[in-house]
């Protein structure tokens, strides 16, 4: 049930406005390969990469994987990313303390053919706003290191041929780039949207077909054997023991996003060749079309591809919508609708709002102890992080979240005064918005207003 507050008032209809558009993409950097691991990719190799064609095959990559400098850089990245321990219990802190000896051991095992990946530790994490859960495979720390080293070798080879409309887990690209492209397409009149959902995409990628694609570019047998070992390592789950992974690239591993992009890349190029405007972030994708007939054709094309490569479209979540009308669609945390005459609106989708409130409820329980300033200090980082991503929303969406937070805090205060029932006008009079400002509570609405003012000033 929707939570109401006495602060809430009927909002006037708001319009898109240029000031809240997603930021423009930065474009190609001066050196497009500045992100590569230089202990692996020399200038000569990068020159060859630039000149490579679709039929170019890469040999003799194995020594690049177990190179000591490459492993060292992989170790530093794993430590920096922190993350939970795998089935062996090793932590990133332990790796930090013994990284030198761990690197030497991994280098020897890889060079001598003794290295064997461990099964991933499977956990189930909730999907925001639903009662469903999705599996997450937590690889052992040392396996994450080797995967990172392997990624350093493979990523530039495949990045060279990834399509422009693919944004997920790629160097120099991110969610806001994908969102900005969707907004451009909608405002250009591509309002018939095919909202694609591949059913359990990461968990259903066929290993044999994936390896066929990889072998077209990578002919080093030991590298391909290592990839297959990861795919077939299986998972360990409490109460179920070891389980085989006969298909899929378990979410949670370092190499999984790259492998999933490799498998999806052929569809990206099919869409380009057919003239469809698709925007994809990993397995989240939309196709923005000029009319319903084009949308139907795009959906049929996608369904044909999926069936041919062993994947399935979700029968309910995959749909066609007209974003020029009410109802709209969700993409990467945002909800889009009423994009007509350059007058579109967007705000955090319901699941995004629900996820934030679920996180805040843990801190804002009615019986919570501690000073209000301490409570505010705990929730401010969450609010600020959420705001940075959703500041391009309609102001009313951010205002409602501010109201909800203040209402939860008033409930805590009311409980401390041993008052029964819900927050009433008394609490609003005693603890107005100015009082919360004095406590240092971060306001999404005020932060957005200041940001919009600065944007206006810059123009």
């Amino acid at each position: 049930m929707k939570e109401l507050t006495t602060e809430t008032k009927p909002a006037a209809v708001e319009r898109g406005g240029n000031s809240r558009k997603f930021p423009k993409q930065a474009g190609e950097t001066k050196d497009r390969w500045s992100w590569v691991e230089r202990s692996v990719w020399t200038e000569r190799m990068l020159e060859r990469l630039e000149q490579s064609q679709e039929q170019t095959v890469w040999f003799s990559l194995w020594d690049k994987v177990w190179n000591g400098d490459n492993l060292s850089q992989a170790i530093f990245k794993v430590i920096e990313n922190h993350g939970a321990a795998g089935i062996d219990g090793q932590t990133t802190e332990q790796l930090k303390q013994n990284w030198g000896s761990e690197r030497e051991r991994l280098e020897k095992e890889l060079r001598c053919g003794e290295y064997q990946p461990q099964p991933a530790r499977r956990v189930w994490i909730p999907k925001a706003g639903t009662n469903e859960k999705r599996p997450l495979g937590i690889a052992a720390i040392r396996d994450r290191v080797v995967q990172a080293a392997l990624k350093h070798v493979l990523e530039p080879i495949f990045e060279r041929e990834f399509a422009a409309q693919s944004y997920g887990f790629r160097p120099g690209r991110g969610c806001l780039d994908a969102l900005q492209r969707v907004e451009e397409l909608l405002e250009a009149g591509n309002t018939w949207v095919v909202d694609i959902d591949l059913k359990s995409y990461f968990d259903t990628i066929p290993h044999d077909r994936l390896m066929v694609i990889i072998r077209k570019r990578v002919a080093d047998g030991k590298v391909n054997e290592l990839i297959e070992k990861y795919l077939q390592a299986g998972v360990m789950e409490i109460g179920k023991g070891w389980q085989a992974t006969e298909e899929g690239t378990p979410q949670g591993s370092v190499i999984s996003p790259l492998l999933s992009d490799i498998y999806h890349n052929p569809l990206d190029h099919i869409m380009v060749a057919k003239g469809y405007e698709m925007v994809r972030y990993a397995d989240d994708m939309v196709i923005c079309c000029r009319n319903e007939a084009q949308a139907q054709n795009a959906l049929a094309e996608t369904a044909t591809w999926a069936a041919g490569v062993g994947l399935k479209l979700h029968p309910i979540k995959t749909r066609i919508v007209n974003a020029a009308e009410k109802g709209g669609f969700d993409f990467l945390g945002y909800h889009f609708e009423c994009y007509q005459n350059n007058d579109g609106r967007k705000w955090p989708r319901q699941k995004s709002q629900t996820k934030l409130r679920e996180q805040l409820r843990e801190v804002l329980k009615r019986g919570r102890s501690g000073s209000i300033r301490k409570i505010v200090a705990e929730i401010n980082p969450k609010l600020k992080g959420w705001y940075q991503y959703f500041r391009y929303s309609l102001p009313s969406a951010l205002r409602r979240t501010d109201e909800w937070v203040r209402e939860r805090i008033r409930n805590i205060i009311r409980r401390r005064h041993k008052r029964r029932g819900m927050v009433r006008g008394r609490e609003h009079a005693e603890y107005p918005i100015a009082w919360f400002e004095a406590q240092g509570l971060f306001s999404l609405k005020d932060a957005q207003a200041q940001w919009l003012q600065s944007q206006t000033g810059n123009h």
Side-chain angles (χ1 to χ4, degrees):
M1 180 179 294
K2 184 178 179 180
E3 296 183 64
L4 301 175
T5 76
T6 52
E7 284 189 23
T8 306
K9 298 179 181 179
V13 175
E14 297 178 79
R15 303 302 180 189
N18 292 332
S19 56
R20 288 191 302 278
K21 291 187 182 297
F22 296 109
K24 294 285 186 182
Q25 296 180 51
E28 293 286 347
T29 59
K30 184 177 181 180
D31 179 6
R32 65 174 300 191
W33 301 111
S34 60
W35 52 271
V36 303
E37 176 49 50
R38 291 292 175 165
S39 64
V40 174
W41 287 90
T42 63
E43 288 298 329
R44 183 177 177 181
M45 289 178 67
L46 288 173
E47 288 177 7
R48 184 190 170 200
L49 182 63
E50 283 286 0
Q51 298 168 4
S52 65
Q53 305 296 323
E54 288 185 7
Q55 64 271 23
T56 302
V57 180
W58 291 80
F59 299 84
S60 304
L61 296 172
W62 182 238
D63 62 318
K64 310 290 191 301
V65 176
W66 57 259
N67 174 277
D69 291 338
N70 183 22
L71 287 171
S72 293
Q73 292 303 315
I75 286 172
F76 297 151
K77 287 184 179 179
V78 170
I79 292 173
E80 192 176 57
N81 290 335
H82 302 291
I87 62 170
D88 62 357
Q90 184 187 26
T91 65
T92 53
E93 185 60 34
Q94 291 171 329
L95 176 63
K96 184 177 180 179
Q97 297 299 322
N98 304 289
W99 74 269
S101 59
E102 186 66 73
R103 185 201 64 188
E104 291 177 5
R105 184 157 70 105
L106 284 172
E107 183 178 343
K108 177 178 178 296
E109 289 180 10
L110 289 165
R111 189 176 66 250
C112 299
E114 300 171 354
Y115 172 77
Q116 182 64 43
Q118 302 175 72
R121 179 168 65 88
R122 173 171 283 177
V123 297
W124 293 83
I125 59 176
K127 289 185 177 182
T130 72
N131 295 322
E132 300 177 20
K133 292 186 177 182
R134 64 182 179 89
L136 188 68
I138 302 175
I141 297 295
R142 68 195 314 266
D143 291 335
R144 298 212 286 269
V145 170
V146 178
Q147 286 184 29
L150 178 61
K151 184 182 176 186
H152 289 164
V153 175
L154 295 178
E155 189 170 27
I157 294 173
F158 293 98
E159 176 63 27
R160 174 74 172 78
E161 60 189 50
F162 283 159
Q165 69 266 38
S166 167
Y167 294 88
F169 307 107
R170 293 182 58 190
R173 289 169 167 249
C175 290
L176 291 180
D177 298 320
L179 289 164
Q180 189 264 335
R181 179 56 181 159
V182 167
E183 189 167 62
E184 282 181 350
L185 291 168
L186 293 172
E187 292 181 345
N190 300 280
T191 57
W192 282 91
V193 177
V194 187
D195 189 359
I196 302 291
D197 188 285
L198 288 169
K199 192 173 182 180
S200 303
Y201 174 61
F202 282 88
D203 299 320
T204 57
I205 295 175
H207 293 169
D208 55 346
R209 291 173 174 170
L210 171 62
M211 292 308 303
V212 167
I213 297 174
I214 292 174
R215 289 192 183 99
K216 288 180 179 179
R217 301 294 268 148
V218 177
D220 190 311
K222 290 186 177 180
V223 170
N224 290 332
E225 182 183 352
L226 180 59
I227 297 172
E228 289 181 309
K229 282 183 177 180
Y230 282 125
L231 294 174
Q232 299 166 6
V235 296
M236 293 285 288
E237 186 173 352
I238 295 176
K240 295 183 178 180
W242 181 82
Q243 300 171 60
T245 46
E246 298 176 353
E247 58 183 10
T249 59
Q251 286 181 274
S253 73
V254 174
I255 201 72
S256 179
L258 175 60
L259 297 181
S260 67
D261 269 344
I262 290 172
Y263 200 67
H264 215 297
N265 189 50
L267 175 64
D268 296 342
H269 289 285
I270 289 172
M271 293 291 106
V272 171
K274 297 285 185 179
Y276 296 120
E277 295 285 3
M278 184 173 77
V279 181
R280 182 174 69 82
Y281 191 97
D283 61 334
D284 290 328
M285 70 197 91
V286 292
I287 307 172
C288 299
C289 303
R290 302 295 296 183
N291 51 58
E292 185 176 8
Q294 187 184 42
Q296 293 287 358
N297 291 336
L299 175 56
E301 196 75 50
T302 306
T304 298
W305 172 83
V309 297
L311 302 174
K312 294 180 180 179
L313 300 185
H314 197 291
I316 299 175
K317 295 180 181 179
T318 298
R319 63 199 183 108
I320 294 175
V321 299
N322 185 358
E325 301 174 352
K326 289 186 177 179
F329 66 98
D330 297 337
F331 185 61
L332 297 181
Y334 272 86
H335 178 79
F336 296 83
E337 71 173 49
C338 295
Y339 270 79
Q340 193 171 23
N341 301 322
N342 199 27
D343 194 27
R345 289 176 278 173
K346 57 187 180 290
W347 57 84
R349 68 173 184 166
Q350 188 57 51
K351 287 184 179 180
S352 300
Q353 298 181 56
T354 299
K355 184 176 180 180
L356 174 67
R357 293 186 181 191
E358 286 175 350
Q359 293 174 345
L360 295 178
R361 276 194 184 94
E362 292 299 311
V363 184
L364 300 176
K365 294 179 179 178
R366 292 187 68 187
R368 170 66 198 269
S369 61
S371 69
I372 298 301
R373 284 187 176 276
K374 180 180 178 181
I375 295 172
V376 164
E378 284 188 48
I379 64 174
N380 271 352
K382 291 184 174 64
L383 291 171
K384 291 177 181 178
W386 197 80
Y387 162 76
Q388 285 300 319
Y389 189 74
F390 290 108
R391 61 179 171 174
Y392 306 97
S393 303
L394 290 177
S396 61
L398 304 186
R399 185 182 68 243
R400 285 192 293 270
T401 299
D402 281 339
E403 292 167 352
W404 182 87
V405 171
R406 290 193 292 265
E407 205 73 354
R408 297 289 298 191
I409 296 176
R410 289 189 183 107
N411 262 308
I412 294 173
I413 298 172
R414 185 176 177 84
R415 175 77 172 265
R416 292 179 180 180
H417 290 321
K418 298 182 179 180
R419 298 171 184 168
R420 296 182 179 181
M422 301 297 293
V423 169
R424 302 181 188 280
R426 178 177 179 180
E427 282 77 27
H428 286 272
E430 293 176 346
Y431 306 100
I433 294 176
W435 183 85
F436 286 96
E437 292 174 351
Q439 306 306 307
L441 179 64
F442 180 78
S443 168
L444 305 169
K445 180 180 72 68
D446 290 349
Q448 187 193 50
Q450 293 174 10
W451 170 65
L452 291 176
Q453 183 63 39
S454 69
Q455 296 295 102
T456 302
N458 290 335
H459 289 85

